[in-house]
Amino acid sequence: MLVPEGSLKWDILRTTSSTFNFTSGDWQANFASQNNMLFRGHTLVWHEALPAWFPQTANGQNAERILREHITTVVGHYAGKMHSWDVVNEVIASWYGLPNGMRPSPWLTFLGESYIDTAFRAAAAADPDALLVFNMNHLEYNSQGVKNMRVDTLKCLRRLKDANVPVHALGIQAHLDPNDGSFNAGEFRIFLQDVAGLGLKIMITELDVTDQSLPGDITVRDLTVAGMYEEFLSVALENPNVIAVLTWGLSDKYTWLSTYKARKDNAAVRPLPLDENFNRKLAWNAIARTFDKAPRR
């Protein structure tokens, strides 16, 4: 499955309010088709990908029209080609203390929490066959902050389901950190069961393991990273509603963590299944073992 990391986000697609640039996304869609790969859309609504023109253009009177127009145009352009869309991304951020754990955003300011409903309904109308995903971060560990995130995420998903909003799956980003010792297999297992109990599929959408604070020794780092992949996926794949696992990149040569979680010793980061020369690492073996051991679905 191919996922464009950036080319389908607002700030790349829409450098002006009146134009859409599908050049890069179309190239990737064609590549996926030619190579018998599924294609996945990321993302229709994300607070960090709004273009420069948005603050001066959007307001409480036109925000819903702008949102619907964007989703209808983009999803409609790729209708029939998409396995799934991340319709909303990171819309819960419980630490801000807003009602229902909502993250502050222009959409929330202009439209209230119902902007989420609007986004899913518009996406479903534009492509009835695509799987529509509620994509979230900070759901994996067991700190109080993450527990709050899980509670608020489930609350929002229940509200959407009760309102017959066409949300089909929860996406769990799973940017893992082996230095966070709060992963609790039992608690995470219960959370996945709760999500599945809502009738939702589950996708692991952006899996990687940061080695930012691990020892410099590559053997030690690779063993630790592989262990984190195996520990997490062994629990996740127990649940039959988990239908996909996507790493956020394949090779260490191309990873966002090189910039956002660089090592203090300036050593190259090693968060992905393949090294910078595209050779398999212990992480690749760990992922493969969890797939081999997972119940068939």
Side-chain angles (χ1 to χ4, degrees), residues 15 26 30 45 62 65 76 80 105 107 119 123 129 133 151 159 167 183 188 195 199 201 222 228:
T15 54
D26 288 353
N30 290 333
V45 180
N62 65 16
R65 177 184 60 77
S105 76
W107 301 117
D129 296 325
V133 181
V151 168
R159 183 189 69 75
V167 54
F183 181 73
F188 189 64
V195 175
K201 301 297 184 183
D222 284 0
M228 187 73 255

Side-chain angles (χ1 to χ4, degrees), residues 5-290:
E5 186 172 343
S7 62
L8 298 184
K9 292 173 180 172
W10 278 66
D11 52 350
I12 304 298
L13 273 178
R14 301 187 67 180
T15 54
T16 75
S17 62
S18 59
T19 59
F20 292 79
N21 184 355
F22 292 110
T23 303
S24 180
D26 288 353
W27 187 94
Q28 291 170 89
N30 290 333
F31 179 91
S33 177
Q34 291 166 7
N35 289 277
N36 298 313
M37 302 171 72
L38 298 175
F39 193 48
R40 186 160 194 277
H42 176 83
T43 173
L44 295 171
V45 180
W46 187 38
H47 64 285
E48 290 193 17
L50 292 172
W53 55 263
F54 187 87
Q56 291 76 41
T57 305
N59 55 54
Q61 286 68 51
N62 65 16
E64 183 172 348
R65 177 184 60 77
I66 292 173
L67 181 64
R68 288 183 180 277
E69 176 190 54
H70 179 86
I71 293 174
T72 299
T73 302
V74 176
V75 176
H77 182 82
Y78 292 104
K81 299 179 181 179
M82 283 292 182
H83 168 272
S84 52
W85 274 103
D86 285 335
V87 177
V88 298
N89 189 50
E90 301 177 4
V91 296
I92 304 291
S94 305
W95 56 87
Y96 286 103
L98 296 183
N100 299 319
M102 287 290 107
R103 177 188 289 278
S105 76
W107 301 117
L108 186 68
T109 300
F110 295 144
L111 302 174
E113 194 173 340
S114 67
Y115 81 88
I116 299 172
D117 311 48
T118 298
F120 275 97
R121 294 189 192 282
D127 187 355
D129 296 325
L131 190 75
L132 303 183
V133 181
F134 187 106
N135 199 46
M136 276 299 305
N137 56 351
H138 301 304
L139 296 176
E140 301 82 21
Y141 291 106
N142 217 46
S143 66
Q144 188 56 53
V146 171
K147 288 181 179 180
N148 293 341
M149 290 285 285
R150 293 203 289 250
V151 168
D152 287 331
T153 297
L154 284 169
K155 185 188 303 181
C156 187
L157 291 171
R158 288 192 187 99
R159 183 189 69 75
L160 294 171
K161 294 294 290 185
D162 288 345
N164 294 315
V165 174
V167 54
H168 305 139
L170 172 66
I172 297 175
Q173 291 184 12
H175 296 297
L176 306 178
D177 186 342
N179 278 336
D180 190 325
S182 68
F183 181 73
N184 183 298
E187 292 294 323
F188 189 64
R189 185 178 292 114
I190 291 170
F191 173 67
L192 297 181
Q193 291 169 352
D194 288 342
V195 175
L198 295 173
L200 296 170
K201 301 297 184 183
I202 302 166
M203 299 178 68
I204 310 302
T205 54
E206 303 181 23
L207 178 62
D208 52 25
V209 180
T210 180
D211 68 347
Q212 183 181 41
S213 301
L214 293 178
D217 184 278
I218 286 177
T219 300
V220 174
R221 273 199 280 158
D222 284 0
L223 279 168
T224 306
V225 168
M228 187 73 255
Y229 274 113
E230 192 155 8
E231 180 182 27
F232 175 79
L233 287 176
S234 293
V235 178
L237 292 176
E238 288 177 6
N239 193 301
N241 282 42
V242 176
I243 62 166
V245 175
L246 298 97
T247 55
W248 204 233
L250 287 175
S251 165
D252 295 333
K253 186 174 183 178
Y254 306 106
T255 170
W256 70 292
L257 293 170
S258 293
T259 300
Y260 288 92
K261 292 194 177 182
R263 293 177 55 84
K264 292 182 180 179
D265 61 7
N266 294 319
V269 297
R270 297 175 63 83
L272 290 168
L274 306 180
D275 69 15
E276 62 181 9
N277 297 312
F278 292 82
N279 296 312
R280 294 176 181 178
K281 294 159 50 188
L282 294 177
W284 190 97
N285 297 329
I287 293 169
R289 277 195 301 274
T290 63

